[in-house]
Amino acid sequence: MRMRMRLKAAAAAVLCLHCLGVYLFTRGFLLTRTELSAFSLPSDLLQAQAPCCSELPSTTNQDQDLPGWTPPTVERVLILIVDALRFDFVAPSSLFQKKQKWMDRLPSLQHLASTHPSSSRIFKAIADPPTTSLQRLKALTTGGLPTFIDVGNSFAAPAIQEDNWIHQLVHTGRRVVMMGDDTWTQLFPHHFNHSYPYPSFNVKDLHTVDNGVAQHLVPWLHRQDWDVLIGHFLGVDHAGHIFGVDSQPMVQKLEQINAILQNVTDIMNSQKHLENTMLIVMGDHAQTLNGDHGGGTSEEVETCLFAWIPRSLPSSISSIFHPSTCGLGLNGKNICTSTMQQLDFAVSISALLGIPFPFGSIGRVNPELYALSPGSWDRQWLPASFYEDPSSDLKMWKNNYAHVLCINSWQVKRYIDSYSATSVMGFPSDDLHYITKLYNEAQSRWSDSKNRSCKPENGTIDEFSDFLLSFATLARSAWTEFDMKLMVVGLGIFIISIIFHLFVFERVQSLSNVYDNKTQKSSNHLQIYVAFLLVAVRAVSFLSNSYILAEGRVANFLLATTAIGSIRSSLVYGKIKKHDLVFLILIILIRFGIEKGMPKQAATNPFLNYDSGSDFDLKWLPSLFEGHDFVILLPEISPMIILFLLSFLSCKYITSTVHSRCIKWVVTVGTMLSYLFIATFWLSERSFAPKMVYVIGLSLFVLNFVLRYLGILEKGETVQRLRSLALVMVSAWSPTILILLGKQGPFVVLVCIIAGWSIISSKNKGLLDDCKMDPISVMQWSLLAICLFYQTGHWCTFDGLRYGAAFIGFDEFKVVRQAILLFVDTFGISHILPIFSLPFLVTIPNSSSSKGRDKTVIFLNLTQVYLLYGLITAITTTFTVLCVAIQRRHLMVWGLFAPKYVFDAIGLLLTDVLICVSALYYC
């Protein structure tokens, strides 16, 4: 008893060390940039005696009550955000190599772009990762770069504390109306004159938010008591998450958005008070083909921005548009597109509306977007000194834009100085010196042009642009602050935990030899060396971003290596065993799933999100079977058949393994009911069915612990008791995990069962006696869990989270409940089931030879299995931490390395917690 308590205390100590290491390293690595509390004021420009404030007044002649740094160039702005809007949703299909079914579904925008080329423009807007909605909205309104750590706040967005153009609008007396995604009201709780928020996280609901926006949008367009109107549509994003981009629901949703946009543009053309209103249709981010976003791939960051104004503009605006890509639209006319950074949006919208630029904005007023505003061409909006040479509209516009860029640069330089003075680390001194030099040269050229009484044109514009673009590049490469001391201490604690882990493992192994009266242990050490060689290969691969992206393939390759080694070992003994061949075949099937069905760039898996109302892609099937009727029914029939097989196997093993009649009856009935409810849900979409599965699973889990500590499950031999406990625990968790995985669940669970049986059957090929822990088997168990994680459509990035699983059985969003379901879906097949089923590695091979065996030996063997499994996870996570520390300045740090660290750190802590729970339950 004392030894068991010590080992449980050791497991708790490992958990504490890992918690401390994760906490310290995270504090050092995932620091957000310093958020300055300063806000821009209308008087700042004059009080600071900025070199570019002498000629451009802070108020317009027409609107004395609207103070700003530049005159407003539009009267109103209508911003319609289509969440997860891809560039190829808007741009003509002729710009792409192959036309897809989702292209050309927004013809209303293409029509405006082709028929009004001087007053409308399609932009490819490049977002900065992470591409989650919260981060993008914060960046779009503050003008700063998003911070990775705020991804965790995506389900409960805090109010923005930094300066932003929404605050500036309110501060200058503008009237702002919002409708749609309720994230806006969380970020800006007291800023809107009127708001119509709708819940945003029920990804199964494609219509509520969009219909709500459409309902309120048209009446407000006929009213005049607003200055900025924001509508945020979510249906496209939700359709992508559930069905994927290449689906009929996505096409239908785009057609609905197009009808709304067509109605909006018709109203704007017909209403006189909307003549100087700019329409902006934009995405906050894009999405992959399977509807995910959050990372930094081109599919996720290349969204779209469309701008149009009903009023006609001078033809010379065409010379301002940068060289662009052009293609034919649906009406046969030419459509040209440009590229802009979303970082520029906040300062650009501030310049259009004539409000002070947000204090932390580091973007550049986009010249093409600014040129689309009528006020940038009208003399009445300019001070008297600009009337001297009115011969050229283009020259007058350049003078105006140069002055705006001067103010833009002054604001950014002011922010740089303030940030450098208050931040812990600031920017590298050499880079800061270079940036300051660019700014001084641009200001010197501006001053010289003023002293010579000539108008600043291309030269000044180019120099201010160089300064702004150079600083944006610097901010992207060196923005995040790292506390290297905390990172090193955290990494050191990880290393200490591994050393402590090894010490405890060696101690338990020695005790096992003593209690089992064994002196020959060289063969066991050989197995350990081979296992740790495989661990080392996988861990070292994390030092490369390419191998992190291919982690599922690497794990599958190493698992196949062990399978081939088992076949070779069988040949040495003269016969290939069937379980070795079965295991190798399963590995090939898993690799097929990782390669074809589940990679991040692939379209939605047909078994995962198949819906009878959507088109079903059969490209994953061999062409031999195409055209046969049974192929159409396969996605519906095969999950049911496998589900029936699983229920039969569960009933058979529960009745043959669990000896207590009462427990046997309760677990069997609960398991069968769970499978029945799963089938009911798949056939009828009844929301009560998943809820019943969750209730049964939770009840069985609680009942297990209650009966365990009441001593009811203590009957029988030690091995028999452990096997019964493990079977009851796995039976409690399996239905919940299965239903969250979708219709792929039965196949995945069946693969897991057969692969587990193959690993157990391969154990003890003469190198070890029946009661020894087999390190190779434990390593295979760990690799199999990793492969199943990737086969089921998960990915170590936030766009790899399957948000739809969190709403299985529920329509309304509640943070804790949906977070739990999402957590179980993410880690169920890769952590919960593998760890709770580890006793099978000890109990099943020993079932025929364990009678009379000292239960202490069995306990020590089980302890070794859990210690080794935890050690494997700890070593690979430590290498992830080391990789992140080394690659902290890498271009892909926020898109790849940081998410990988977050997933591995959570996985490590979850592994430690589950090992502690297993120690309390099994021992």
Side-chain angles (χ1 to χ4, degrees):
M1 181 61 69
R2 180 178 299 178
M3 178 180 61
R4 296 192 180 194
M5 292 301 298
R6 288 179 178 176
L7 291 175
K8 292 177 182 179
V14 170
L15 172 60
C16 292
L17 283 173
H18 287 160
C19 287
L20 181 61
V22 168
Y23 172 76
L24 293 176
F25 187 85
T26 303
R27 282 290 304 273
F29 173 64
L30 293 183
L31 289 176
T32 60
R33 58 180 172 82
T34 302
E35 294 186 354
L36 303 184
S37 58
F39 285 75
S40 296
L41 298 174
S43 59
D44 287 348
L45 200 63
L46 293 174
Q47 290 180 354
Q49 296 183 346
C52 43
C53 69
S54 57
E55 294 192 28
L56 202 61
S58 61
T59 60
T60 68
N61 296 329
Q62 295 181 349
D63 297 293
Q64 297 293 333
D65 58 335
L66 299 178
W69 291 352
T70 61
T73 58
V74 294
E75 292 182 5
R76 295 181 178 89
V77 175
L78 170 60
I79 302 174
L80 299 180
I81 299 175
V82 181
D83 209 291
L85 183 70
R86 288 168 58 102
F87 178 64
D88 55 6
F89 286 169
V90 180
S93 58
S94 58
L95 296 180
F96 305 93
Q97 293 183 348
K98 181 180 179 182
K99 182 176 180 178
Q100 303 291 347
K101 63 189 300 183
W102 61 82
M103 296 180 180
D104 297 331
R105 299 293 178 176
L106 298 175
S108 60
L109 300 185
Q110 289 193 22
H111 176 75
L112 289 174
S114 60
T115 58
H116 300 82
S118 62
S119 60
S120 62
R121 195 69 170 175
I122 296 175
F123 297 87
K124 178 190 289 184
I126 309 300
D128 291 286
T131 48
T132 52
S133 293
L134 171 66
Q135 277 61 47
R136 295 312 315 141
L137 292 183
K138 291 185 67 174
L140 286 170
T141 54
T142 64
L145 292 175
T147 54
F148 179 85
I149 194 66
D150 287 334
V151 170
N153 294 323
S154 291
F155 291 100
I160 293 181
Q161 302 299 321
E162 287 185 282
D163 193 7
N164 56 83
W165 56 265
I166 299 290
H167 166 83
Q168 292 296 338
L169 285 171
V170 176
H171 185 70
T172 54
R174 307 296 180 90
R175 299 155 297 181
V176 186
V177 179
M178 191 286 304
M179 54 195 68
D181 186 349
D182 62 353
T183 303
W184 284 90
T185 56
Q186 298 174 40
L187 295 174
F188 306 100
H190 308 293
H191 293 72
F192 302 118
N193 295 78
H194 298 275
S195 62
Y196 307 93
Y198 295 88
S200 59
F201 285 105
N202 186 357
V203 294
K204 295 195 302 180
D205 185 351
L206 307 186
H207 306 297
T208 298
V209 178
D210 292 0
N211 292 342
V213 175
Q215 175 187 354
H216 296 288
L217 181 59
V218 173
W220 272 99
L221 289 178
H222 289 89
R223 298 173 58 170
Q224 301 186 31
D225 55 337
W226 60 273
D227 297 294
V228 175
L229 196 157
I230 301 171
H232 192 142
F233 299 93
L234 283 176
V236 170
D237 178 67
H238 290 181
H241 281 302
I242 299 299
F243 301 103
V245 171
D246 190 8
S247 66
Q248 190 60 29
M250 177 62 78
V251 172
Q252 294 171 350
K253 180 51 63 176
L254 290 174
E255 291 175 347
Q256 179 193 6
I257 297 296
N258 179 72
I260 295 173
L261 294 176
Q262 183 64 59
N263 190 26
V264 167
T265 55
D266 289 343
I267 294 174
M268 291 182 66
N269 277 319
S270 63
Q271 297 293 318
K272 184 67 175 180
H273 71 276
L274 296 177
E275 181 184 15
N276 283 325
T277 298
M278 178 176 285
L279 169 65
I280 296 178
V281 181
M282 62 184 299
D284 53 347
H285 51 75
Q287 57 180 309
T288 61
L289 290 181
N290 59 344
D292 294 329
H293 57 87
T297 65
S298 59
E299 282 188 300
E300 297 162 276
V301 302
E302 291 181 358
T303 182
C304 184
L305 186 148
F306 171 84
W308 168 72
I309 193 161
R311 181 174 170 178
S312 60
L313 297 173
S315 59
S316 55
I317 190 176
S318 59
S319 62
I320 299 171
F321 292 148
H322 291 171
S324 56
T325 304
C326 299
L328 295 179
L330 293 175
N331 56 5
K333 294 185 178 181
N334 211 35
I335 297 177
C336 295
T337 65
S338 300
T339 300
M340 67 173 291
Q341 298 293 324
Q342 273 198 353
L343 184 68
D344 300 338
F345 180 76
V347 69
S348 298
I349 202 72
S350 299
L352 294 175
L353 292 167
I355 56 177
F357 302 164
F359 188 88
S361 172
I362 62 171
R364 177 190 64 149
V365 176
N366 184 271
E368 296 171 85
L369 188 60
Y370 186 71
L372 289 173
S373 59
S376 64
W377 299 91
D378 290 347
R379 294 187 181 90
Q380 63 189 27
W381 299 83
L382 301 175
S385 59
F386 275 67
Y387 297 162
E388 297 174 1
D389 185 14
S391 59
S392 171
D393 287 336
L394 181 60
K395 186 174 182 180
M396 182 174 57
W397 181 90
K398 288 183 177 180
N399 288 331
N400 193 5
Y401 180 64
H403 212 133
V404 171
L405 271 191
C406 179
I407 298 174
N408 187 181
S409 300
W410 168 81
Q411 162 55 32
V412 172
K413 183 60 169 63
R414 181 178 70 155
Y415 175 76
I416 293 173
D417 295 340
S418 179
Y419 188 88
S420 301
T422 58
S423 176
V424 177
M425 299 178 65
F427 298 102
S429 57
D430 292 342
D431 292 330
L432 196 59
H433 177 74
Y434 174 72
I435 293 296
T436 302
K437 179 182 177 182
L438 290 179
Y439 176 76
N440 291 335
E441 290 176 352
Q443 287 292 356
S444 177
R445 186 182 182 95
W446 170 271
S447 300
D448 289 344
S449 65
K450 289 297 180 182
N451 292 334
R452 295 195 304 267
S453 299
C454 63
K455 301 302 180 184
E457 293 188 0
N458 292 338
T460 306
I461 291 175
D462 291 341
E463 292 195 0
F464 280 132
S465 295
D466 288 343
F467 161 72
L468 293 167
L469 296 176
S470 296
F471 179 69
T473 301
L474 170 62
R476 288 189 178 96
S477 63
W479 190 278
T480 304
E481 301 172 356
F482 301 104
D483 190 328
M484 287 305 300
K485 292 181 180 179
L486 285 179
M487 293 175 66
V488 170
V489 172
L491 180 59
I493 292 176
F494 275 104
I495 296 173
I496 291 172
S497 71
I498 291 177
I499 296 173
F500 177 73
H501 219 139
L502 286 169
F503 171 78
V504 175
F505 178 79
E506 183 64 29
R507 178 62 178 165
V508 172
Q509 188 178 40
S510 299
L511 288 174
S512 178
N513 290 329
V514 170
Y515 275 90
D516 205 26
N517 297 318
K518 298 292 181 180
T519 57
Q520 300 295 327
K521 54 182 181 180
S522 59
S523 61
N524 183 254
H525 276 200
L526 177 62
Q527 297 280 71
I528 292 176
Y529 295 149
V530 173
F532 274 99
L533 176 62
L534 295 175
V535 174
V537 171
R538 178 170 177 261
V540 171
S541 70
F542 291 159
L543 298 178
S544 166
N545 63 300
S546 298
Y547 280 102
I548 291 178
L549 288 171
E551 182 182 6
R553 301 182 183 94
V554 172
N556 186 271
F557 172 80
L558 294 176
L559 192 59
T561 301
T562 64
I564 294 173
S566 296
I567 293 177
R568 180 185 178 279
S569 179
S570 298
L571 289 174
V572 171
Y573 289 92
K575 183 181 179 181
I576 297 179
K577 298 183 178 180
K578 61 180 181 180
H579 50 71
D580 290 331
L581 287 177
V582 169
F583 189 47
L584 186 58
I585 293 172
L586 284 176
I587 293 173
I588 295 173
L589 290 176
I590 293 173
R591 178 60 179 264
F592 176 80
I594 295 174
E595 290 285 349
K596 299 297 183 182
M598 311 298 179
K600 182 180 179 182
Q601 295 82 4
T604 305
N605 177 17
F607 281 107
L608 182 62
N609 290 320
Y610 173 72
D611 183 90
S612 58
S614 63
D615 290 344
F616 180 60
D617 189 0
L618 298 175
K619 295 178 181 178
W620 63 279
L621 287 174
S623 59
L624 176 66
F625 299 106
E626 291 183 4
H628 293 275
D629 292 338
F630 80 92
V631 174
I632 305 299
L633 299 176
L634 185 62
E636 289 291 341
I637 295 176
S638 56
M640 295 298 179
I641 295 175
I642 300 176
L643 186 66
F644 174 79
L645 178 60
L646 289 176
S647 63
F648 170 77
L649 292 175
S650 299
C651 181
K652 176 182 177 181
Y653 284 111
I654 291 172
T655 54
S656 62
T657 302
V658 181
H659 288 289
S660 174
R661 182 174 300 178
C662 178
I663 302 304
K664 181 187 303 185
W665 182 84
V666 171
V667 176
T668 301
V669 172
T671 303
M672 295 302 103
L673 283 176
S674 295
Y675 286 124
L676 179 62
F677 283 124
I678 293 173
T680 302
F681 176 67
W682 288 345
L683 291 174
S684 62
E685 291 290 331
R686 303 281 181 148
S687 60
F688 77 90
K691 296 175 184 177
M692 295 304 300
V693 174
Y694 305 148
V695 170
I696 293 173
L698 180 60
S699 300
L700 288 178
F701 178 74
V702 174
L703 183 63
N704 287 343
F705 273 90
V706 173
L707 297 179
R708 166 70 176 82
Y709 282 96
L710 289 178
I712 298 178
L713 296 179
E714 296 288 343
K715 300 177 182 179
E717 294 285 338
T718 303
V719 171
Q720 177 66 34
R721 182 180 63 83
L722 281 175
R723 190 160 60 248
S724 299
L725 289 171
L727 186 59
V728 172
M729 178 62 77
V730 171
S731 298
W733 280 99
S734 296
T736 297
I737 295 172
L738 190 151
I739 196 173
L740 291 177
L741 289 175
K743 292 184 179 180
Q744 66 170 344
F747 174 76
V748 173
V749 173
L750 183 63
V751 167
C752 186
I753 292 173
I754 299 175
W757 167 79
S758 301
I759 293 174
I760 292 169
S761 300
S762 300
K763 186 176 179 287
N764 301 325
K765 289 188 173 62
L767 293 176
L768 302 169
D769 61 59
D770 285 346
C771 290
K772 278 292 182 181
M773 181 271 304
D774 184 5
I776 300 297
S777 297
V778 179
M779 182 64 199
Q780 289 176 321
W781 209 266
S782 175
L783 290 173
L784 176 63
I786 298 163
C787 291
L788 292 177
F789 175 81
Y790 286 95
Q791 186 195 5
T792 49
H794 297 96
W795 201 269
C796 286
T797 53
F798 293 102
D799 56 332
L801 294 173
R802 302 193 311 113
Y803 297 104
F807 292 91
I808 294 179
F810 301 97
D811 293 325
E812 67 279 3
F813 173 76
K814 292 185 178 180
V815 175
V816 175
R817 182 181 62 199
Q818 265 57 61
I820 291 174
L821 291 178
L822 184 62
F823 187 85
V824 173
D825 171 72
T826 303
F827 296 103
I829 198 68
S830 61
H831 289 75
I832 297 174
L833 282 186
I835 292 175
F836 280 138
S837 60
L838 278 174
F840 292 137
L841 283 176
V842 175
T843 59
I844 292 182
N846 297 328
S847 58
S848 61
S849 60
S850 60
K851 293 184 179 180
R853 178 73 63 179
D854 188 348
K855 64 179 182 180
T856 304
V857 175
I858 303 298
F859 164 73
L860 290 173
N861 290 337
L862 180 61
T863 303
Q864 287 183 81
V865 168
Y866 271 104
L867 284 174
L868 182 57
Y869 193 92
L871 184 59
I872 291 171
T873 307
I875 291 175
T876 53
T877 303
T878 301
F879 269 81
T880 299
V881 172
L882 177 62
C883 169
V884 169
I886 295 174
Q887 306 285 3
R888 64 189 183 277
R889 296 295 183 187
H890 194 281
L891 182 63
M892 299 178 67
V893 62
W894 303 124
L896 179 63
F897 296 111
K900 172 63 176 169
Y901 164 71
V902 171
F903 273 79
D904 279 11
I906 294 175
L908 175 64
L909 297 181
L910 177 61
T911 298
D912 293 338
V913 170
L914 293 176
I915 289 175
C916 290
V917 172
S918 298
L920 295 174
Y921 179 69
Y922 292 124
C923 302

